[in-house]
Amino acid sequence: MTTSIVVGYTATETGADALALGVRLARATRRHLHVLIVVPGGGDSAPDHESPIHGQAKQWLDAAAAMIPADVAHTAHARENDSFAEGLVLAGEQLDAALIVVGAANGATIGLHRMGSVAQALLHSSPIPVALAPAGFAHSADVQAPIPRITAAIGNRPGADALLEAAVGLSAATAATLRLVSLVAFDVPRGFDPQAIRLVSGAHGEDVLARAEMELPAGVRAELERAPGDTVEEAVARLEWLPGELILVGSSRLAQPRRLFLGSTAAKMLDVIPVPMIVVPRTRLDDSADSGS
């Protein structure tokens, strides 16, 4: 049973955004929150906890812990690794994490996503689902407000079952409404008849949603919505979002089992989605979509 959420923290606006999302998710799912700073090191020599870099990391972690509400159980850590992303993954595996949370890269437009090097590394290798906070999330989100709705972008490629299961589990854990969306948006070569493409893709979208609805556990209901468009960006832009909503997407079909690989569709969605995104591996490691209780 996964029991925690790991936040990759830095003493920046990006770190504050990740922390705010981690707090919100930990509070909503009743999981333990681990706030991590990864510092250079991890060789054969023993960690020098008295070094200036460890001292600075402790100050930053103390400041981060002061921003966490009292009702959220949490622990702050400094881990040594020459790769921030690898350090987070190793910690996530050791700490039985359901999610690894990171923020947008510096310079991202407020309210939107921009992947930095750490997020890119995680989204192409992590065995643990990764949650991405949009820029400015720390200033716009009420971490104590309930999560109103979980949206899952459902398709019919490998990994769809794991995504649906994760979305159902997170919806149940947070008491949020579940929305299943078929993003029927094709980027096709020039010369194809746009009207014919829309007809085919429209029928495909309805079929995807109908099959997903049939696979929902007994007693679970979901809103079904098709977001048509000629491009991924256009389709996503037509969706309406509730304040505090989350979206789940699956890994690319190129992903190895139990590993993430952000596909082109999800990458394009990041450019226009104004809510946190959780990317789910094709095959779940264990019961990471459980209620966390």
Side-chain angles (χ1 to χ4, degrees), residues 254-286:
L254 300 177
Q256 296 297 314
R258 297 190 173 190
R259 288 293 185 276
L260 292 180
F261 190 95
L262 189 70
S264 59
T265 298
K268 292 173 182 176
M269 290 168 63
L270 276 174
D271 291 336
V272 292
I273 283 183
V275 301
M277 175 188 280
I278 298 175
V279 186
V280 179
R282 279 180 51 193
T283 305
R284 292 189 312 120
L285 276 172
D286 49 25

Side-chain angles (χ1 to χ4, degrees), residues 164-184:
L164 182 60
E165 188 176 358
V168 169
L170 187 57
S171 175
T174 59
T177 300
L178 177 61
R179 176 172 68 159
L180 304 182
V181 171
S182 174
L183 291 174
V184 183

Side-chain angles (χ1 to χ4, degrees), residues 2 6 13 21 38-39 53 55 71 82 105 124 130 143 157 180 209 233 247-248 252 268-269 274:
T2 51
V6 166
E13 290 294 322
L21 178 57
V38 180
V39 299
I53 194 168
D71 63 342
D82 288 332
H124 290 89
V130 174
V143 297
R157 291 177 173 174
L180 304 182
L209 290 175
E233 295 89 342
I247 183 170
L248 274 68
S252 165
K268 292 173 182 176
M269 290 168 63

Side-chain angles (χ1 to χ4, degrees), residues 204-260:
H204 168 72
E206 297 297 341
D207 180 59
V208 166
L209 290 175
R211 282 187 284 112
E213 185 178 29
M214 290 176 59
E215 294 171 5
L216 289 172
V220 175
R221 294 186 176 275
E223 303 172 7
L224 304 180
E225 185 171 347
R226 183 169 59 86
D230 294 333
T231 67
V232 173
E233 295 89 342
E234 180 183 335
V236 172
R238 291 181 176 179
L239 294 173
E240 294 185 359
W241 303 97
L242 300 176
E245 185 168 356
L246 306 174
I247 183 170
L248 274 68
V249 300
S251 294
S252 165
R253 64 186 183 277
L254 300 177
Q256 296 297 314
R258 297 190 173 190
R259 288 293 185 276
L260 292 180

Side-chain angles (χ1 to χ4, degrees), residues 34 38 51 53 64 67 88 112 119 123 149 168 193 202 205 213 230 248 252 291:
H34 292 280
V38 180
S51 69
I53 194 168
M67 294 186 282
L88 290 178
L112 296 178
L123 291 175
R149 186 168 66 186
V168 169
D193 179 22
E213 185 178 29
D230 294 333
L248 274 68
S252 165
S291 67

Side-chain angles (χ1 to χ4, degrees), residues 2 30 36 41 62 65 83 102 108 115-116 139 146 158 188 202-203 207 231 235 260:
T2 51
R30 302 174 299 282
L36 262 72
D62 288 344
S83 164
V102 293
M115 286 192 298
H139 302 293
V188 299
D207 180 59
T231 67
L260 292 180

